[in-house]
Amino acid sequence: MAVAVICEFNPFHYGHKYIIETARRITGEPVVAIMSGSFVQRGEPAVTDKLERTRAALGNGASLVIELPAVYAVANAQRFAGGGARIANALKGVNYLAFGCESDDISLLKRAAAAPSDLRVQSLIKKKMQQGDYYPRALKNAVREALGDETADFLKTPNNILAAEYLRQLDKRIKPLPVKRIGAAHNSQKLSGKFASASHIRELLRNGKSAQGFLPEIPKEITYPQRLDTALLYKMRTISAQELRALPEVGEGLENRILAAAKTAVTAEEIISAVKTKRYTHARIRRILTCALLGITEELQSRKSSYCRVLGFSEEGARLLKNCEFEIVTSAAKGICGENAEFIKKDILAADIAAIAYENVRPCGEDFCAQIIKAIPHNSGARIAQSDFSPECTNNQRAY
């Protein structure tokens, strides 16, 4: 049996280690990390590559790391949670889902999870959106009117919103295990001992400042999202309105606002600032730009994948894969030939595009050369074996 954690580890810090250790302590079971790969939900490349984050997770308590498909990693909360929950559901050894949460009140969490299905809430949401509101705020205000302040306040933070989505999409056999956050709040610039928010740590790393003390390991190389600006500007200056309309979260003429902004903007941030309104949030616009860059359409994102791309494991993690209902993918080259090929090709493309965001641009095709990270137990904890890339990777593989 095992505990799943749907995560980004962007980067892996002591708060993440605390969740893994707490989940293991409470349940006595190994932890499966279902982790975003090369891009994250905010529509940016992950601050460091997925193998480095896999190494950190395995070295700090996780037993198995599976990649959350890129198609869902850059989706809204409902689809992000759904993609992770389906993988957890497919791993029949998983009987808990642990997640960081502002409140560990299970009854409140269940009320919040049930709120969108409440007929009074649905009616109010429809009315508010007809008046020009956007869904996240319409949901919170509708819940407040129909169900009261306590349930509405629970849905104020991103972690709690995701927690509610997880509950709606998990098999009944999987029990929720909320782990109350300690230390710095989500996106906070405040510090609390060795705990700092992931956003603050990314800011330190990308500004060349020391993040020592907040991370078990300092990343060797990091990405800079603005390095993708030229590629994004090219894409947005050459894409058609019809192609934009085919992307997730685009509707109601939003494609025209984006195209107009792209004609004058000289950075991705300028496009976002020009388009952003209370209805169209910064995160939503950035996700749209990233989906355009990766060619992720609404049609593809609304489909359901059925594979587990293994990034790393320990001995106990390997045993958990024996009871998986999905296709287990251990090689990118083999994965692009199966029924999940379209999804896996997007994972590979995401890695190739994120490779441009490093100070020293990386070549294409590293996903074909990546070796699974193996954690070998020894007296002082997990020792990580295997190099990141196989020396046998050929130019033909890179050129896929």
Side-chain angles (χ1 to χ4, degrees):
M1 308 305 280
V3 186
V5 176
I6 301 169
C7 54
E8 293 185 324
F9 294 161
N10 186 38
F12 188 93
H13 56 64
Y14 283 115
H16 299 134
K17 183 175 182 178
Y18 172 77
I19 290 174
I20 291 173
E21 289 177 342
T22 301
R24 291 194 75 125
R25 175 175 53 79
I26 292 172
T27 67
E29 298 177 2
V31 172
V32 179
I34 302 167
M35 185 186 78
S36 298
S38 300
F39 277 80
V40 294
Q41 200 198 7
R42 60 189 290 111
E44 292 181 352
V47 72
T48 190
D49 71 60
K50 56 192 174 187
L51 292 178
E52 187 160 358
R53 284 146 53 222
T54 296
R55 259 200 315 273
L58 291 174
N60 289 277
S63 296
L64 175 63
V65 181
I66 292 171
E67 181 172 0
L68 177 67
V71 168
Y72 310 127
V74 295
N76 60 27
Q78 183 180 25
R79 287 178 173 171
F80 177 94
R86 281 195 299 277
I87 293 174
N89 293 338
L91 291 163
K92 294 307 175 184
V94 168
N95 61 354
Y96 288 96
L97 180 78
F99 44 85
C101 210
E102 313 308 324
S103 169
D104 55 3
D105 184 335
I106 289 286
S107 61
L108 178 57
L109 175 57
K110 289 181 177 178
R111 288 204 303 275
S117 301
D118 187 288
L119 293 179
R120 294 169 297 169
V121 172
Q122 290 179 353
S123 176
L124 285 166
I125 289 173
K126 184 177 180 180
K127 180 179 178 181
K128 291 176 185 300
M129 292 190 71
Q130 286 173 343
Q131 295 171 347
D133 214 343
Y134 64 102
Y135 180 79
R137 192 172 68 178
L139 171 62
K140 281 180 263 188
N141 290 337
V143 170
R144 190 176 301 280
E145 289 181 35
L147 303 177
D149 290 344
E150 187 179 35
T151 306
D153 288 343
F154 181 88
L155 291 170
K156 276 184 176 180
T157 65
N159 283 328
N160 287 359
I161 291 169
L162 277 173
E165 288 292 347
Y166 294 148
L167 259 66
R168 282 193 280 272
Q169 303 193 54
L170 285 172
D171 283 351
K172 290 183 179 179
R173 67 178 171 82
I174 300 180
K175 301 177 182 67
L177 181 61
V179 178
K180 190 170 183 179
R181 287 175 63 97
I182 59 173
H186 179 80
N187 279 342
S188 173
Q189 299 296 304
K190 295 180 180 178
L191 306 179
S192 179
K194 64 180 181 180
F195 297 104
S197 69
S199 60
H200 182 61
I201 294 170
R202 289 193 298 273
E203 184 179 334
L204 291 174
L205 292 171
R206 285 170 171 158
N207 288 327
K209 297 179 180 178
S210 174
Q212 196 75 40
F214 303 128
L215 306 167
E217 300 175 33
I218 299 296
K220 295 180 179 65
E221 291 185 88
I222 61 171
T223 62
Y224 299 86
Q226 64 271 24
R227 289 180 175 272
L228 296 182
D229 275 8
T230 301
L232 274 167
L233 288 170
Y234 171 79
K235 185 67 178 181
M236 302 318 296
R237 291 182 183 189
T238 57
I239 197 170
S240 69
Q242 183 178 359
E243 289 170 319
L244 262 177
R245 280 195 297 274
L247 301 179
E249 300 189 81
V250 178
E252 303 168 328
L254 180 57
E255 69 275 13
N256 297 319
R257 289 176 59 89
I258 295 173
L259 288 174
K263 289 179 180 178
T264 57
V266 295
T267 66
E269 196 58 41
E270 285 186 10
I271 295 178
I272 295 167
S273 295
V275 176
K276 178 182 174 295
T277 64
K278 288 183 178 180
R279 186 178 183 85
Y280 305 123
T281 63
H282 186 285
R284 177 177 173 180
I285 303 305
R286 181 161 281 285
R287 283 197 300 270
I288 290 169
L289 297 184
T290 297
C291 284
L293 192 59
L294 299 178
I296 295 173
T297 62
E298 165 67 19
E299 186 277 330
L300 179 59
Q301 199 178 80
S302 65
R303 282 159 49 188
K304 295 179 180 179
S305 64
S306 57
Y307 70 102
C308 289
R309 173 82 185 275
V310 180
L311 299 178
F313 58 84
S314 65
E315 288 181 8
E316 62 182 357
R319 288 193 289 271
L320 295 170
L321 291 170
K322 294 178 181 178
N323 294 314
C324 181
E325 291 187 337
F326 281 180
E327 174 191 5
I328 296 174
V329 176
T330 57
S331 162
K334 293 177 182 177
I336 60 173
C337 302
E339 63 181 29
N340 292 292
E342 196 168 354
F343 289 96
I344 294 170
K345 286 178 180 178
K346 292 303 180 188
D347 296 339
I348 296 165
L349 177 62
D352 288 344
I353 298 300
I356 302 170
Y358 290 92
E359 188 168 6
N360 296 311
V361 175
R362 297 178 175 185
C364 285
E366 289 191 339
D367 249 24
F368 288 100
C369 314
Q371 288 188 334
I372 293 173
I373 307 296
K374 295 181 181 178
I376 302 171
H378 66 114
N379 292 338
S380 59
R383 179 169 63 85
I384 306 303
Q386 300 274 8
S387 60
D388 285 3
F389 301 105
S390 165
E392 287 131 18
C393 178
T394 67
N395 287 332
N396 285 338
Q397 286 175 309
R398 284 191 184 279
Y400 149 79

